[in-house]
Coordinates of all heavy atoms in Angstrom, one line a residue:
E22 N 14.9 2.7 12.6 CA 16.1 2.6 13.5 C 17.3 2.3 12.7 O 18.4 2.9 12.9 CB 15.8 1.6 14.6 CG 16.9 1.6 15.7 CD 16.6 0.6 16.8 OE1 15.5 0.6 17.3 OE2 17.5 -0.2 17.1
E23 N 17.2 1.3 11.8 CA 18.3 0.9 11.0 C 18.8 2.0 10.1 O 20.0 2.1 9.7 CB 17.9 -0.3 10.1 CG 17.8 -1.6 11.0 CD 17.2 -2.8 10.2 OE1 16.8 -2.5 9.0 OE2 17.1 -3.8 10.7
Q24 N 17.9 2.9 9.7 CA 18.2 4.0 8.8 C 18.7 5.2 9.7 O 19.0 6.3 9.1 CB 17.0 4.4 8.0 CG 16.5 3.3 7.1 CD 17.5 2.8 6.1 OE1 18.2 3.6 5.5 NE2 17.7 1.5 6.0
G25 N 18.7 5.1 11.0 CA 19.1 6.2 11.8 C 18.0 7.3 11.9 O 18.3 8.5 12.1
L26 N 16.8 6.9 11.8 CA 15.6 7.9 11.8 C 14.6 7.5 12.8 O 14.5 6.3 13.2 CB 14.9 7.8 10.4 CG 15.7 8.2 9.2 CD1 14.9 7.9 7.9 CD2 16.0 9.7 9.2
S27 N 13.9 8.4 13.2 CA 12.7 8.1 14.1 C 11.6 7.7 13.1 O 11.6 7.9 11.9 CB 12.2 9.4 14.8 OG 11.7 10.4 13.9
L28 N 10.6 7.0 13.7 CA 9.5 6.6 12.8 C 8.8 7.8 12.2 O 8.4 7.8 11.1 CB 8.5 5.8 13.7 CG 7.3 5.1 12.9 CD1 7.8 4.3 11.7 CD2 6.5 4.3 13.8
S29 N 8.7 8.9 13.0 CA 8.0 10.1 12.5 C 8.8 10.7 11.3 O 8.2 11.1 10.3 CB 8.0 11.2 13.6 OG 7.1 10.8 14.6
A30 N 10.2 10.6 11.4 CA 11.0 11.1 10.3 C 10.8 10.2 9.1 O 10.8 10.7 7.9 CB 12.4 11.2 10.7
L31 N 10.7 8.9 9.3 CA 10.5 8.0 8.2 C 9.2 8.3 7.5 O 9.1 8.4 6.2 CB 10.5 6.6 8.7 CG 10.4 5.5 7.6 CD1 11.6 5.4 6.7 CD2 10.2 4.1 8.3
V32 N 8.1 8.4 8.2 CA 6.8 8.7 7.7 C 6.8 10.1 6.9 O 6.3 10.2 5.8 CB 5.7 8.7 8.8 CG1 4.4 9.2 8.2 CG2 5.6 7.3 9.3
E33 N 7.5 11.1 7.6 CA 7.6 12.4 6.9 C 8.3 12.3 5.6 O 7.9 12.9 4.6 CB 8.3 13.4 7.9 CG 8.2 14.8 7.4 CD 8.8 15.8 8.4 OE1 9.2 15.4 9.5 OE2 8.8 17.0 8.0
T34 N 9.4 11.5 5.6 CA 10.1 11.3 4.3 C 9.2 10.7 3.2 O 9.2 11.1 2.1 CB 11.4 10.4 4.5 OG1 12.2 11.1 5.5 CG2 12.1 10.2 3.3
F35 N 8.5 9.7 3.6 CA 7.5 9.1 2.7 C 6.5 10.1 2.2 O 6.3 10.2 1.0 CB 6.8 7.9 3.4 CG 5.8 7.3 2.5 CD1 6.1 6.4 1.5 CD2 4.4 7.5 2.8 CE1 5.1 5.9 0.7 CE2 3.5 6.9 2.0 CZ 3.8 6.1 0.9
F36 N 5.9 10.8 3.1 CA 4.9 11.8 2.7 C 5.5 12.9 1.8 O 4.8 13.5 1.0 CB 4.2 12.4 3.9 CG 3.3 11.5 4.6 CD1 2.7 11.9 5.9 CD2 2.8 10.3 4.1 CE1 1.9 11.1 6.5 CE2 1.9 9.5 4.7 CZ 1.4 9.9 6.0
S37 N 6.8 13.2 2.0 CA 7.4 14.3 1.2 C 7.5 13.9 -0.2 O 7.7 14.8 -1.1 CB 8.7 14.7 1.8 OG 9.7 13.7 1.5
K38 N 7.4 12.6 -0.5 CA 7.5 12.1 -1.9 C 6.2 12.2 -2.7 O 6.1 12.0 -3.9 CB 8.0 10.7 -1.9 CG 9.4 10.6 -1.3 CD 10.1 9.3 -1.5 CE 11.4 9.2 -0.9 NZ 12.4 10.2 -1.3
I39 N 5.1 12.6 -2.0 CA 3.8 12.8 -2.7 C 3.9 14.0 -3.5 O 4.3 15.1 -3.1 CB 2.7 12.9 -1.6 CG1 2.6 11.6 -0.8 CG2 1.3 13.2 -2.3 CD1 1.6 11.8 0.4
P40 N 3.6 13.9 -4.8 CA 3.7 15.1 -5.7 C 2.8 16.2 -5.3 O 1.7 16.0 -4.7 CB 3.2 14.5 -7.1 CG 3.1 13.1 -6.9 CD 3.1 12.7 -5.5
E41 N 3.2 17.4 -5.5 CA 2.4 18.6 -5.1 C 1.2 18.7 -6.0 O 0.1 19.1 -5.6 CB 3.3 19.9 -5.3 CG 4.4 20.0 -4.3 CD 4.0 20.1 -2.9 OE1 3.0 20.8 -2.6 OE2 4.7 19.6 -2.0
E42 N 1.4 18.4 -7.3 CA 0.2 18.5 -8.2 C 0.1 17.2 -9.0 O 1.0 16.4 -9.2 CB 0.5 19.6 -9.3 CG 0.6 21.0 -8.7 CD 0.9 22.0 -9.8 OE1 0.8 21.7 -11.0 OE2 1.3 23.1 -9.4
K43 N -1.1 16.9 -9.4 CA -1.4 15.8 -10.3 C -0.9 16.0 -11.7 O -0.9 17.2 -12.1 CB -2.9 15.4 -10.3 CG -3.5 15.0 -9.0 CD -4.9 14.6 -9.2 CE -5.5 14.2 -7.9 NZ -7.0 13.9 -8.1
P44 N -0.3 15.0 -12.3 CA 0.1 15.2 -13.7 C -1.1 15.7 -14.5 O -2.2 15.3 -14.3 CB 0.5 13.8 -14.2 CG 0.8 13.1 -12.9 CD -0.1 13.7 -11.8
K45 N -0.8 16.6 -15.5 CA -1.9 17.2 -16.3 C -2.5 16.2 -17.3 O -3.6 16.4 -17.7 CB -1.4 18.4 -17.0 CG -1.0 19.5 -16.0 CD -0.5 20.7 -16.7 CE -0.2 21.7 -15.6 NZ 0.3 23.0 -16.1
N46 N -1.8 15.1 -17.6 CA -2.3 14.2 -18.6 C -3.0 13.0 -18.0 O -3.1 12.0 -18.6 CB -1.1 13.7 -19.5 CG -0.5 14.8 -20.3 OD1 -1.2 15.8 -20.5 ND2 0.7 14.6 -20.8
V47 N -3.5 13.2 -16.8 CA -4.1 12.0 -16.1 C -5.5 11.8 -16.7 O -6.3 12.7 -17.0 CB -4.3 12.3 -14.6 CG1 -5.1 11.3 -13.9 CG2 -3.0 12.5 -13.9
N48 N -5.7 10.5 -17.1 CA -7.0 10.1 -17.7 C -8.1 10.3 -16.6 O -8.0 9.9 -15.5 CB -6.9 8.6 -18.1 CG -8.1 8.2 -18.8 OD1 -9.1 8.9 -18.9 ND2 -8.0 7.0 -19.4
K49 N -9.2 11.0 -17.0 CA -10.3 11.2 -16.1 C -10.9 9.9 -15.6 O -11.4 9.9 -14.5 CB -11.3 12.1 -16.7 CG -10.8 13.5 -17.1 CD -10.7 14.4 -16.0 CE -10.3 15.8 -16.4 NZ -10.0 16.7 -15.4
N50 N -11.0 8.9 -16.4 CA -11.6 7.7 -16.1 C -10.6 6.5 -16.4 O -10.7 5.9 -17.4 CB -12.9 7.5 -16.9 CG -13.6 6.2 -16.4 OD1 -13.3 5.6 -15.4 ND2 -14.7 5.9 -17.1
P51 N -9.7 6.3 -15.5 CA -8.6 5.3 -15.8 C -9.1 3.9 -15.8 O -8.5 3.0 -16.3 CB -7.6 5.5 -14.6 CG -8.4 6.1 -13.5 CD -9.5 6.9 -14.2
L52 N -10.3 3.6 -15.2 CA -10.8 2.2 -15.1 C -11.6 1.9 -16.4 O -12.6 2.5 -16.6 CB -11.6 2.0 -13.9 CG -10.9 2.2 -12.5 CD1 -11.9 2.1 -11.4 CD2 -9.8 1.3 -12.4
K53 N -11.1 1.0 -17.1 CA -11.8 0.6 -18.3 C -12.4 -0.8 -18.1 O -11.8 -1.6 -17.3 CB -10.8 0.5 -19.5 CG -10.3 1.9 -19.9 CD -9.3 1.7 -21.0 CE -8.7 3.1 -21.3 NZ -7.6 3.0 -22.3
P54 N -13.5 -1.2 -18.7 CA -14.0 -2.5 -18.5 C -13.0 -3.6 -18.9 O -12.2 -3.4 -19.9 CB -15.2 -2.5 -19.4 CG -15.4 -1.2 -20.0 CD -14.2 -0.4 -19.7
L55 N -13.0 -4.7 -18.2 CA -12.1 -5.8 -18.5 C -12.6 -6.4 -19.8 O -13.8 -6.5 -20.1 CB -12.1 -6.8 -17.4 CG -11.4 -6.4 -16.1 CD1 -11.6 -7.5 -15.1 CD2 -9.9 -6.1 -16.3
P56 N -11.7 -6.9 -20.6 CA -12.1 -7.7 -21.8 C -12.9 -8.9 -21.4 O -12.8 -9.4 -20.3 CB -10.8 -8.1 -22.4 CG -9.7 -7.3 -21.8 CD -10.2 -6.8 -20.5
E57 N -13.8 -9.3 -22.2 CA -14.7 -10.5 -21.9 C -13.9 -11.7 -21.6 O -14.3 -12.5 -20.7 CB -15.6 -10.8 -23.1 CG -16.6 -11.8 -22.8 CD -17.5 -12.1 -24.0 OE1 -17.8 -11.2 -24.8 OE2 -18.0 -13.2 -24.1
S58 N -12.8 -11.9 -22.2 CA -11.9 -13.1 -21.9 C -11.5 -13.1 -20.4 O -11.4 -14.1 -19.8 CB -10.7 -13.2 -22.8 OG -9.9 -12.0 -22.7
F59 N -11.2 -11.9 -19.9 CA -10.8 -11.8 -18.5 C -12.1 -12.0 -17.5 O -12.0 -12.5 -16.5 CB -10.2 -10.4 -18.2 CG -8.7 -10.4 -18.5 CD1 -8.3 -10.6 -19.8 CD2 -7.8 -10.1 -17.6 CE1 -7.0 -10.6 -20.1 CE2 -6.5 -10.1 -17.9 CZ -6.0 -10.3 -19.2
Q60 N -13.2 -11.4 -18.0 CA -14.4 -11.5 -17.2 C -14.8 -13.0 -16.9 O -15.3 -13.3 -15.9 CB -15.5 -10.7 -17.8 CG -15.3 -9.2 -17.7 CD -16.4 -8.5 -18.4 OE1 -17.5 -9.0 -18.7 NE2 -16.2 -7.2 -18.6
R61 N -14.5 -13.8 -17.9 CA -14.9 -15.2 -17.8 C -14.0 -15.9 -16.8 O -14.4 -17.0 -16.3 CB -14.7 -15.9 -19.2 CG -15.8 -15.6 -20.2 CD -15.7 -16.5 -21.4 NE -14.4 -16.4 -22.0 CZ -14.1 -16.0 -23.2 NH1 -15.1 -15.6 -24.0 NH2 -12.9 -15.9 -23.7
L62 N -12.9 -15.4 -16.4 CA -12.0 -16.0 -15.4 C -12.5 -15.8 -14.0 O -12.0 -16.4 -13.1 CB -10.6 -15.4 -15.6 CG -9.9 -15.7 -16.9 CD1 -8.6 -15.0 -16.9 CD2 -9.7 -17.2 -17.1
E63 N -13.5 -14.9 -13.8 CA -13.9 -14.6 -12.4 C -14.4 -15.9 -11.7 O -15.1 -16.7 -12.3 CB -15.1 -13.7 -12.5 CG -15.6 -13.3 -11.1 CD -16.8 -12.3 -11.2 OE1 -17.1 -11.8 -12.2 OE2 -17.3 -12.1 -10.1
G64 N -13.8 -16.1 -10.5 CA -14.2 -17.3 -9.7 C -13.4 -18.5 -10.0 O -13.6 -19.6 -9.4
I65 N -12.5 -18.5 -11.0 CA -11.7 -19.7 -11.4 C -10.7 -20.1 -10.3 O -10.4 -21.2 -10.1 CB -11.1 -19.5 -12.7 CG1 -10.7 -20.8 -13.3 CG2 -9.9 -18.6 -12.7 CD1 -10.3 -20.7 -14.8
L66 N -10.1 -19.1 -9.6 CA -9.1 -19.4 -8.5 C -9.9 -19.5 -7.2 O -10.7 -18.7 -6.8 CB -8.1 -18.2 -8.5 CG -7.3 -18.0 -9.7 CD1 -6.4 -16.8 -9.6 CD2 -6.4 -19.3 -10.0
K67 N -9.5 -20.5 -6.5 CA -10.1 -20.8 -5.2 C -9.1 -20.5 -4.1 O -7.9 -21.0 -4.1 CB -10.6 -22.2 -5.1 CG -11.6 -22.6 -6.2 CD -12.9 -21.8 -6.1 CE -13.8 -22.2 -7.2 NZ -14.8 -21.3 -7.5
A68 N -9.4 -19.8 -3.1 CA -8.6 -19.6 -1.9 C -9.1 -20.4 -0.7 O -10.3 -20.7 -0.7 CB -8.6 -18.1 -1.5
G69 N -8.2 -20.7 0.2 CA -8.6 -21.4 1.4 C -9.6 -20.7 2.2 O -9.8 -19.5 2.1
K70 N -10.2 -21.4 3.1 CA -11.2 -20.7 4.0 C -10.7 -19.6 4.9 O -11.3 -18.7 5.2 CB -11.9 -21.8 4.9 CG -12.8 -22.7 4.1 CD -13.4 -23.7 5.0 CE -14.3 -24.7 4.2 NZ -14.9 -25.7 5.1
N71 N -9.4 -19.8 5.2 CA -8.8 -18.8 6.1 C -8.0 -17.7 5.4 O -7.2 -17.0 6.0 CB -7.8 -19.5 7.1 CG -8.6 -20.5 8.0 OD1 -9.7 -20.2 8.4 ND2 -8.0 -21.5 8.4
F72 N -8.2 -17.6 4.1 CA -7.4 -16.7 3.3 C -7.9 -15.3 3.7 O -9.1 -15.0 3.6 CB -7.7 -16.9 1.8 CG -6.9 -16.0 0.9 CD1 -5.6 -16.1 0.7 CD2 -7.6 -14.9 0.3 CE1 -4.9 -15.3 -0.1 CE2 -6.9 -14.0 -0.5 CZ -5.5 -14.2 -0.7
D73 N -6.9 -14.4 4.0 CA -7.2 -13.0 4.4 C -6.6 -12.1 3.3 O -5.4 -11.9 3.3 CB -6.7 -12.7 5.8 CG -7.1 -11.3 6.3 OD1 -7.5 -10.5 5.4 OD2 -6.9 -11.1 7.4
Y74 N -7.4 -11.6 2.4 CA -6.9 -10.8 1.3 C -6.1 -9.6 1.8 O -5.0 -9.3 1.3 CB -8.1 -10.3 0.4 CG -7.7 -9.3 -0.6 CD1 -7.0 -9.6 -1.7 CD2 -8.0 -8.0 -0.4 CE1 -6.7 -8.7 -2.7 CE2 -7.6 -7.0 -1.3 CZ -7.0 -7.4 -2.4 OH -6.6 -6.4 -3.3
K75 N -6.6 -8.9 2.8 CA -6.0 -7.7 3.3 C -4.6 -8.0 3.9 O -3.6 -7.3 3.7 CB -6.8 -6.9 4.3 CG -8.0 -6.3 3.7 CD -8.8 -5.5 4.7 CE -10.0 -4.8 4.0 NZ -10.7 -3.9 4.9
E76 N -4.6 -9.1 4.6 CA -3.3 -9.5 5.3 C -2.3 -9.9 4.2 O -1.1 -9.5 4.3 CB -3.5 -10.7 6.2 CG -2.3 -11.1 6.9 CD -2.6 -12.3 7.9 OE1 -3.6 -12.3 8.6 OE2 -1.7 -13.2 7.9
E77 N -2.7 -10.6 3.2 CA -1.8 -11.0 2.1 C -1.3 -9.8 1.3 O -0.1 -9.7 0.9 CB -2.4 -12.0 1.2 CG -2.7 -13.4 1.8 CD -1.4 -14.0 2.3 OE1 -0.4 -14.0 1.6 OE2 -1.5 -14.6 3.4
L78 N -2.2 -8.8 1.1 CA -1.8 -7.6 0.4 C -0.8 -6.8 1.2 O 0.2 -6.3 0.7 CB -3.1 -6.8 0.1 CG -2.8 -5.5 -0.6 CD1 -2.2 -5.7 -2.0 CD2 -4.2 -4.7 -0.8
T79 N -1.1 -6.7 2.5 CA -0.1 -6.0 3.4 C 1.2 -6.6 3.4 O 2.3 -5.9 3.2 CB -0.7 -6.0 4.8 OG1 -2.0 -5.3 4.8 CG2 0.3 -5.2 5.8
K80 N 1.3 -8.0 3.4 CA 2.6 -8.7 3.4 C 3.3 -8.4 2.1 O 4.5 -8.1 2.0 CB 2.4 -10.2 3.6 CG 2.2 -10.6 5.0 CD 2.4 -12.1 5.2 CE 1.2 -12.8 4.8 NZ 1.2 -14.2 5.1
A81 N 2.6 -8.5 1.0 CA 3.2 -8.3 -0.4 C 3.7 -6.9 -0.5 O 4.8 -6.7 -1.0 CB 2.2 -8.6 -1.5
L82 N 2.9 -5.9 -0.1 CA 3.4 -4.5 -0.2 C 4.6 -4.2 0.7 O 5.5 -3.5 0.3 CB 2.2 -3.6 0.0 CG 1.1 -3.6 -1.0 CD1 0.0 -2.7 -0.6 CD2 1.7 -3.1 -2.4
S83 N 4.5 -4.8 1.9 CA 5.6 -4.6 2.8 C 6.9 -5.2 2.3 O 8.0 -4.6 2.4 CB 5.3 -5.3 4.2 OG 4.2 -4.7 4.8
E84 N 6.9 -6.4 1.7 CA 8.0 -7.0 1.1 C 8.5 -6.2 -0.1 O 9.7 -5.9 -0.3 CB 7.7 -8.4 0.6 CG 7.6 -9.4 1.8 CD 7.1 -10.8 1.3 OE1 7.2 -11.1 0.1 OE2 6.8 -11.5 2.2
K85 N 7.6 -5.7 -0.9 CA 8.0 -5.0 -2.1 C 8.7 -3.7 -1.8 O 9.7 -3.3 -2.4 CB 6.7 -4.6 -3.0 CG 7.0 -3.9 -4.2 CD 5.8 -3.6 -5.0 CE 6.1 -2.9 -6.3 NZ 4.9 -2.7 -7.2
Y86 N 8.2 -2.9 -0.8 CA 8.7 -1.6 -0.4 C 9.7 -1.7 0.7 O 10.2 -0.7 1.2 CB 7.6 -0.6 -0.2 CG 6.8 -0.4 -1.4 CD1 5.5 -0.9 -1.6 CD2 7.4 0.4 -2.5 CE1 4.8 -0.7 -2.7 CE2 6.6 0.6 -3.6 CZ 5.4 0.1 -3.8 OH 4.7 0.3 -4.9

Side-chain angles (χ1 to χ4, degrees):
E22 186 178 312
E23 290 170 354
Q24 301 300 313
L26 299 170
S27 67
L28 185 55
S29 292
L31 182 68
V32 171
E33 186 172 1
T34 300
F35 175 76
F36 286 169
S37 71
K38 297 188 184 304
I39 298 172
E41 295 293 327
E42 296 179 14
K43 291 182 180 178
K45 294 181 180 180
N46 296 340
V47 173
N48 186 352
K49 299 280 183 188
N50 186 8
L52 299 177
K53 297 178 182 175
L55 290 174
E57 185 179 328
S58 59
F59 276 61
Q60 291 178 12
R61 287 189 305 241
L62 295 174
E63 182 179 352
I65 198 168
L66 298 175
K67 303 295 182 203
K70 291 181 181 179
N71 296 329
F72 182 78
D73 184 346
Y74 170 76
K75 288 184 179 181
E76 183 178 319
E77 293 300 317
L78 179 60
T79 300
K80 280 195 279 187
L82 292 174
S83 295
E84 289 175 12
K85 180 176 181 178
Y86 294 105

